[in-house]
Amino acid sequence: MTDLERGLGRRWFEQVWNEGRREAIAEMLAPDGVIHDGGIDSVGPEGFYPFFDRMHAAFSDLRVRVEDTIADGDKICVRWSCTAEHTGDGLGIAPTGVTIHVTGISILRVADDKLVEGWQNWDMLGMMEQINKGGGKAATYIAAT
């Protein structure tokens, strides 16, 4: 794996999540790339846009920090943490103003300088618990996904 491919994992989190560049999804995710997240598979940029849109509609000041990256063969493992303020109803939950902190690990498979498959494992339950403490009804989001 080259440094360029390894940097793709960092660029994904920086450009897509921190900069909010929706167009970066199509630049980095292959047209038939699959993101596996919590039992839901998103195929290609078109399949991933709804998740991106919901998260950005629900949270402002969204910041992802890449804690570690490990590369092996055609895969990159990224350990990350995220903070954001729940200021919108993108999850179907009235905004609570709560600042959440979640952690996760993403394993990304790269081919031809594009993400072709990704496996997400992040603390969705922790996010919901933090929103609930702020007065939200987070259980509706879990049932809707």
Side-chain angles (χ1 to χ4, degrees):
M1 172 138 320
T2 68
D3 287 341
L4 179 64
E5 291 166 320
R6 193 171 178 161
L8 184 61
R10 286 186 178 275
R11 282 198 327 275
W12 174 265
F13 288 98
E14 183 60 35
Q15 292 182 19
V16 172
W17 296 110
N18 291 341
E19 295 174 15
R21 290 189 57 240
R22 193 176 195 265
E23 64 275 13
I25 296 167
E27 293 168 8
M28 290 185 256
L29 180 61
D32 59 349
V34 180
I35 304 293
H36 310 281
D37 188 353
I40 297 172
D41 293 345
S42 301
V43 180
E46 291 299 322
F48 190 76
Y49 291 144
F51 177 73
F52 172 86
D53 293 341
R54 275 195 320 270
M55 295 306 277
H56 276 276
F59 298 105
S60 62
D61 299 324
L62 193 146
R63 298 299 305 163
V64 176
R65 178 179 168 171
V66 172
E67 306 288 351
D68 288 305
T69 61
I70 300 169
D72 185 30
D74 63 349
K75 292 187 180 83
I76 306 160
C77 179
V78 181
R79 184 176 66 88
W80 51 268
S81 61
C82 174
T83 57
E85 186 177 349
H86 183 227
T87 55
D89 62 1
L91 301 178
I93 305 162
T96 61
V98 169
T99 297
I100 59 136
H101 178 79
V102 296
T103 58
I105 292 178
S106 301
I107 298 174
L108 309 169
R109 188 166 61 86
V110 177
D112 299 322
D113 298 326
K114 294 273 190 177
L115 301 176
V116 294
E117 195 164 18
W119 297 265
Q120 300 270 88
N121 188 352
W122 58 283
D123 188 11
M124 185 184 301
L125 178 59
M127 177 182 77
M128 296 304 166
E129 288 174 338
Q130 292 170 67
I131 290 171
N132 274 335
K133 285 180 184 175
K137 299 293 182 218
T140 58
Y141 175 72
I142 294 172
T145 13

